[in-house]
Amino acid sequence: MDDFGAIYDRMSANYSAIVNMMGVIYSQIQNNSGNSQLLDTLQELGDIAKGMLQSQISFTETYCKDSIKDSLVSNLIDRYDTLQYELNKTNGRTL
């Protein structure tokens, strides 16, 4: 696929936008720890972000050149694992 790089980069930009939104909400949670709606919103955005990463992993496995595929997929899996860890940590907190 000739446009792989452009599509991959756009997928990464969309993921980053969601993560930035999550950061804003996380800051709001820190300032208003009794607001469970904010925590729910953070978790829902996290689910969307995880879905985006899963799609990007599938896209990369299908269309990426073999020479860089393993590296890109490994980086995406690391992002996914980090996101999952942070969501679990945030969800387990008593706010």
Side-chain angles (χ1 to χ4, degrees):
M1 169 178 269
D2 294 335
D3 296 328
F4 174 82
I7 295 169
Y8 181 92
D9 289 345
R10 185 64 189 147
M11 294 172 99
S12 293
N14 289 336
Y15 173 78
S16 292
I18 292 287
V19 169
N20 287 336
M21 290 170 50
M22 291 172 66
V24 169
I25 291 171
Y26 183 78
S27 294
Q28 292 172 348
I29 289 170
Q30 297 305 302
N31 295 327
N32 187 3
S33 61
N35 190 333
S36 63
Q37 186 176 10
L38 286 174
L39 185 57
D40 290 344
T41 301
L42 181 66
Q43 292 297 319
E44 289 169 7
L45 286 173
D47 288 342
I48 292 168
K50 290 189 303 184
M52 292 170 76
L53 286 173
Q54 289 169 333
S55 295
Q56 193 172 15
I57 290 168
S58 294
F59 173 75
T60 302
E61 289 174 336
T62 302
Y63 296 107
C64 185
K65 293 179 183 176
D66 288 338
S67 61
I68 60 171
K69 181 187 308 186
D70 290 341
S71 175
L72 291 178
V73 169
S74 178
N75 289 339
L76 292 168
I77 290 170
D78 288 346
R79 280 187 200 171
Y80 184 94
D81 290 345
T82 300
L83 175 62
Q84 184 64 58
Y85 173 79
E86 292 300 325
L87 288 169
N88 288 344
K89 190 169 75 172
T90 301
N91 194 35
R93 294 182 67 179
T94 304
L95 298 174

